[in-house]
Amino acid sequence: MAKLKENSTNSQNRRFFTSCDMTYAVQIIGGRWKILILSALGKEAKRYSQLKKVLPGITERMLTLQLREMEMDGIVHRTVYPEVPPRVEYTLADIGRELLPICAQLHLWGGRHRNAATVNARGTGSKPESQEAGDAIPSKPA
Amino acid sequence: MAKLKENSTNSQNRRFFTSCDMTYAVQIIGGRWKILILSALGKEAKRYSQLKKVLPGITERMLTLQLREMEMDGIVHRTVYPEVPPRVEYTLADIGRELLPICAQLHLWGGRHRNAATVNARGTGSKPESQEAGDAIPSKPA
DNA sequence: GGCCATACATACATTTTTGTGCGTACCATA
DNA sequence: TATGGTACGCACAAAAATGTATGTATGGCC
């Protein structure tokens, strides 16, 4: 009960963020899995189960949710083949594909920076090994 | 009680994310305020109170937290002038400055995309007006 | 003394994100 | 009949992010 605070700072900010081009973009690639999925699909279309394999540690729920959001955001396409064991393929839309170079730059920046910054401990273990996340990361975006 | 699950998928994923260059980068610019602060500081050094003015709706707590994190991540510098009313100036570090072009691209992408995508309702109100967030957004990054 | 401003800190509450565990429809194959 | 695979859906739970409210130290000014 008490107050539902529909007009709290939180709500207002949320409204603002979707109205700012930059934060809007960050909301779309933000979160734990979005860019990884993006990169994974950057190489080629993949089906649900393939994405699961490629993304280490993602749960089915998260994969579904993220894909749904990305679909709503118009950066991936979803194609259902009404076959016997169901088959669903995910593809990058054009606007999604436009994000790939940005991902690549983030990847480069991350690499450079992590070597420079001497482990300022934001994770738990933080061994500075650059695991490449399967084929999730586009080594050559173009 | 029950289990604290130190080795839950969550923890493992967190570890993975800091070991992947790309997600590492996203963690740094991700969140509600990071890029806005980044962009704001991209133009010129600013002090705490100035940032507050420039960032619509941010709370002092959030501003402090974000700045602290960005400091730890080595993308901003913090300079304290031991004056009578305290004065603290925040500057972009070099690695922070390297993010500016990426921000600019995100900004561009966001602009293009939001015009194309016909409001798929991720926010509350979602009027497609592109507010420029004060001077937070670098219109010409170079 | 009382009030102002700055740049926070701290306890607490709420919201959002992410994860856990289980179930389902379909048909095939053993 | 039992089991297996695909691509999810759903209820619940834990964790992380964000917001609210209040306090603090300093010295100047009235």
Side-chain angles (χ1 to χ4, degrees):
Chain A
M1 315 282 122
K3 318 164 195 174
L4 276 196
K5 301 195 180 178
E6 292 287 351
N7 268 43
S8 60
T9 310
N10 207 343
S11 308
Q12 289 184 294
N13 284 346
R14 181 159 287 272
R15 239 161 305 179
F16 163 70
F17 279 114
T18 52
S19 78
C20 165
D21 287 343
M22 196 167 44
T23 44
Y24 171 78
V26 170
Q27 281 201 321
I28 286 183
I29 66 166
R32 217 124 154 164
W33 303 104
K34 293 280 182 66
I35 2 165
L36 288 177
I37 297 177
L38 209 60
S39 301
L41 293 180
K43 310 191 75 170
E44 56 192 344
K46 284 194 171 56
R47 42 193 302 202
Y48 187 84
S49 51
Q50 292 178 300
L51 283 172
K52 232 183 7 181
K53 272 177 221 150
V54 162
L55 301 173
I58 198 174
T59 62
E60 298 199 335
R61 176 183 141 80
M62 271 301 118
L63 183 51
T64 306
L65 282 181
Q66 302 308 91
L67 286 170
R68 284 278 180 279
E69 281 184 22
M70 295 169 85
E71 203 191 341
M72 289 215 340
D73 289 331
I75 65 181
V76 302
H77 288 320
R78 192 175 106 109
T79 325
V80 185
Y81 299 89
E83 296 178 358
V84 180
R87 183 157 68 99
V88 182
E89 253 194 13
Y90 292 92
T91 330
L92 275 198
D94 287 346
I95 22 182
R97 208 171 305 277
E98 287 177 29
L99 282 171
L100 289 178
I102 301 184
C103 291
Q105 283 183 262
L106 284 173
H107 181 54
L108 288 177
W109 183 89
R112 274 190 316 239
H113 173 26
R114 284 210 310 145
N115 292 349
T118 333
V119 184
N120 30 28
R122 273 170 60 90
T124 316
S126 71
K127 289 184 190 175
E129 304 165 11
S130 182
Q131 303 178 4
E132 291 307 302
D135 48 313
I137 294 164
S139 33
K140 296 212 174 183
Chain B
M1 312 281 127
K3 318 164 195 173
L4 276 196
K5 302 195 180 177
E6 292 288 350
N7 269 43
S8 61
T9 309
N10 207 341
S11 309
Q12 290 184 295
N13 284 346
R14 182 158 288 272
R15 238 162 308 182
F16 162 70
F17 280 114
T18 53
S19 79
C20 165
D21 287 343
M22 198 167 43
T23 43
Y24 172 77
V26 170
Q27 280 201 320
I28 286 183
I29 66 166
R32 217 123 154 166
W33 302 105
K34 292 283 182 65
I35 2 165
L36 288 177
I37 298 178
L38 208 61
S39 301
L41 292 180
K43 311 192 73 171
E44 58 193 342
K46 283 195 172 55
R47 43 191 302 202
Y48 187 85
S49 51
Q50 293 178 301
L51 283 171
K52 231 181 12 179
K53 271 176 223 151
V54 162
L55 301 173
I58 197 173
T59 62
E60 299 198 335
R61 176 184 142 82
M62 270 302 119
L63 183 50
T64 306
L65 283 180
Q66 302 307 92
L67 285 170
R68 284 278 181 278
E69 281 184 23
M70 295 169 85
E71 204 191 340
M72 290 215 339
D73 289 330
I75 64 181
V76 302
H77 288 318
R78 192 175 105 109
T79 324
V80 184
Y81 300 89
E83 294 177 3
V84 181
R87 183 158 68 99
V88 182
E89 254 194 14
Y90 293 92
T91 330
L92 274 196
D94 287 347
I95 23 182
R97 208 171 306 277
E98 287 176 28
L99 282 172
L100 288 178
I102 301 184
C103 291
Q105 283 182 261
L106 284 173
H107 180 54
L108 288 176
W109 182 88
R112 273 190 316 240
H113 173 26
R114 284 210 310 143
N115 293 349
T118 333
V119 185
N120 30 29
R122 273 169 60 88
T124 315
S126 72
K127 290 184 187 174
E129 306 166 10
S130 181
Q131 303 178 5
E132 290 308 302
D135 48 316
I137 293 162
S139 33
K140 296 213 172 180

